Amino acid sequence: MQARDTKTSDKRARILDAAIKVFAERGFHSATVAEIARAAGVADGTIYLYFKGKDDLLLRLFDEKMTELLEEARTGIAAEKTAPAKLRRFIQLHLALVERNPDLASVLIVELRQSAQFLKAADRNKLAAYVDLIAEVVRAGQESGELLDIVSPATAKRAIFGALDELALGFLLSGRKSNLRKTAAEVSEWFVRGLEARHGGKS
């Protein structure tokens, strides 16, 4: 029974990995279930044993990968002791993901916006939780006096994530030529210095 469960899990994982590759290469609208099945090494009908269709596959892919990214970001932030360090870590983790796994980043950043179902889905709550990590760090830093209260946490999260999203999109659309590690260091320093309280005092 356990061997069968493992085999099923492996096949589902293969389909998800294949979907990432095909969606990134062909685009969500152009990609077909047959292409995903071929890339995964399974019959077309096998896809429908696990997913309702192409939109459902994209949503489930997002749900599972976003759960992993959310946990990775929370762990990374928790490892830092100060609000400025936590903010730097989030920015660096986000752009490191894009550079490390551009196909996944392309699906999460570009292709999901092509899905009408995603735009209406409650699954977006996980994206909101991920972006809210920025607001949580900023809010805690303002309360501790480490960060200035010149901007609300809600505004800060939108400004920071919006900038990161644009940088990631530029990297993906430019043929992945820029050095995102260097960019992460520059951008994190820029944002943190703009928010960091001088001499530990509040604004």
Side-chain angles (χ1 to χ4, degrees):
M1 185 70 173
Q2 187 173 1
R4 183 178 178 181
D5 289 344
T6 300
K7 187 176 180 180
T8 297
S9 178
D10 288 345
K11 190 173 290 187
R12 187 176 186 280
R14 280 212 322 272
I15 292 170
L16 286 173
D17 288 341
I20 291 171
K21 187 173 185 298
V22 173
F23 286 152
E25 290 179 354
R26 300 269 294 135
F28 174 72
H29 283 308
S30 298
T32 65
V33 169
E35 288 172 326
I36 295 169
R38 194 157 53 245
V42 301
D44 294 8
T46 303
I47 302 285
Y48 296 99
L49 296 176
Y50 302 94
F51 308 99
K52 296 175 184 176
K54 192 171 69 169
D55 276 286
D56 184 53
L57 177 50
L58 182 63
L59 294 178
R60 298 286 69 78
L61 188 161
F62 169 80
D63 181 70
E64 294 186 19
K65 296 303 179 182
M66 207 66 229
T67 298
E68 294 173 11
L69 296 178
L70 190 55
E71 186 57 35
E72 182 181 343
R74 281 176 174 155
T75 300
I77 288 173
E80 302 294 342
K81 294 183 179 179
T82 68
K86 289 176 186 291
L87 194 53
R88 285 190 183 94
R89 175 61 73 91
F90 180 92
I91 292 170
Q92 290 164 0
L93 281 172
H94 184 81
L95 292 182
L97 159 72
V98 177
E99 193 165 48
R100 184 175 73 243
N101 198 335
D103 282 350
L104 175 60
S106 181
V107 172
L108 296 181
I109 294 171
V110 181
E111 299 308 324
L112 273 166
R113 292 170 178 167
Q114 308 302 315
S115 169
Q117 284 192 28
F118 173 74
L119 295 176
K120 299 175 183 177
D123 302 63
R124 289 183 301 165
N125 289 338
K126 287 195 177 176
L127 176 60
Y130 181 77
V131 179
D132 278 344
L133 290 175
I134 301 173
E136 292 169 15
V137 169
V138 171
R139 185 179 296 107
Q142 289 174 339
E143 291 173 354
S144 68
E146 296 172 282
L147 301 179
L148 297 170
D149 55 11
I150 54 175
V151 61
S152 72
T155 300
K157 77 175 181 183
R158 290 189 179 90
I160 293 172
F161 190 76
L164 296 180
D165 194 52
E166 179 61 28
L167 288 167
L169 186 60
F171 170 79
L172 294 169
L173 297 181
S174 68
R176 309 167 186 178
K177 295 176 182 177
S178 58
N179 185 333
L180 275 189
R181 188 170 299 182
K182 180 182 177 184
T183 300
E186 294 172 347
V187 172
S188 61
E189 199 61 28
W190 176 38
F191 275 119
V192 171
R193 286 196 180 193
L195 289 171
E196 199 168 14
R198 302 297 180 263
H199 310 299
K202 287 190 176 183
S203 64

